[in-house]
Amino acid sequence: MHNMSDESQGNEHETPQAGAASGAEEAAAPAPATEPDPVEVLKAEVSDLRDQRLRMAAEMENLRRRTAREIKDAKTFAISGFARDMLQVSDNLQRALAAVPEQGESTDDNGLKTLIEGVELTERAMLSTLERHGVRKLEPMGQKFDPNYHQAMYEVPNTEVANNTVVDVVQPGYVIGDRMLRPAMVGVSKGGPKEAAPAAGTPESDGPDPASGYDV
């Protein structure tokens, strides 16, 4: 009798603990997952597709513009090497004309006069043809010296003009499009008044595009 009473008392002590453990297991069990809203899922997919389409359209537009610019540059600068060679021919024609004595133009020798006129006509026609293809002759005389377009060969003391003014042109320069084809070789003044500061809001010449360089 005494033993049975003890076992009953032990069982009574163990029963609350077992119930507590069972409750803890039920509390630890995960709650059932909720299904995502199909409408929200479709909205998210539509938004992603719209973003992809916009990015693709922007990339295609950038590619189109870049290709158009490259084609334009190729057309403009493709003749750079040929034009540079033709300028040497033009220089030789100018030297030939400079070598003719001044009295040669007023001579009665029709053959010599015809030769001079033919050389002058050839030079003008060559420069005109180059100009039609984007080659432009620089006219730096009297302008402020610009290292982007001019190459100083010597200095000329002159107190009557502003310092660093082009006062002599040894060899003309040329540009093709916005790039330097050949800088003008010039003489610049020295000893005159200082250059006037540019007025506020007046942009200075940027010269050729540094990224593109002078040569093609």
Side-chain angles (χ1 to χ4, degrees):
M1 295 295 291
H2 180 72
N3 292 336
M4 293 178 62
S5 177
D6 290 341
E7 291 176 0
S8 300
Q9 291 178 358
N11 292 335
E12 292 177 356
H13 289 292
E14 293 175 359
T15 301
Q17 294 178 356
S22 176
E25 291 177 356
E26 292 178 357
T34 59
E35 293 293 332
D37 187 354
V39 175
E40 295 299 328
V41 173
L42 289 176
K43 287 183 179 180
E45 292 180 354
V46 170
S47 179
D48 290 342
L49 291 174
R50 183 184 297 111
D51 291 342
Q52 293 178 10
R53 183 178 63 82
L54 292 176
R55 285 195 297 268
M56 185 178 297
E59 292 175 358
M60 292 300 296
E61 179 63 18
N62 291 335
L63 178 61
R64 186 190 66 79
R65 292 180 179 178
R66 183 166 59 251
T67 302
R69 183 170 61 250
E70 291 175 354
I71 292 175
K72 180 181 178 182
D73 289 346
K75 290 180 179 179
T76 302
F77 305 120
I79 66 166
S80 293
F82 174 76
R84 194 176 291 110
D85 292 340
M86 289 298 98
L87 292 180
Q88 296 180 3
V89 177
S90 176
D91 292 340
N92 291 333
L93 293 176
Q94 292 179 2
R95 295 188 185 99
L97 292 174
V100 177
E102 294 183 0
Q103 61 271 21
E105 297 182 358
S106 59
T107 184
D108 294 334
D109 188 343
N110 292 331
L112 181 58
K113 292 179 65 175
T114 301
L115 176 62
I116 296 173
E117 292 174 356
V119 173
E120 291 176 343
L121 181 62
T122 301
E123 183 193 16
R124 288 197 299 268
M126 180 181 299
L127 295 179
S128 177
T129 301
L130 290 175
E131 187 173 356
R132 287 198 303 270
H133 290 276
V135 179
R136 179 171 55 87
K137 182 179 180 180
L138 299 176
E139 301 291 346
M141 192 62 150
Q143 295 181 357
K144 174 185 173 182
F145 175 77
D146 186 345
N148 293 311
Y149 295 98
H150 311 146
Q151 180 178 348
M153 304 302 295
Y154 53 87
E155 294 180 328
V156 179
N158 192 328
T159 59
E160 297 181 358
V161 297
N163 201 35
N164 284 336
T165 299
V166 176
V167 294
D168 191 18
V169 179
V170 180
Q171 178 177 274
Y174 295 86
V175 293
I176 179 169
D178 58 351
R179 298 184 186 181
M180 178 62 62
L181 188 62
R182 188 180 75 181
M185 297 182 180
V186 300
V188 297
S189 62
K190 177 183 179 181
K194 294 183 178 180
E195 304 165 349
T202 302
E204 294 185 355
S205 173
D206 293 331
D209 182 4
S212 62
Y214 291 162
D215 295 331
V216 177

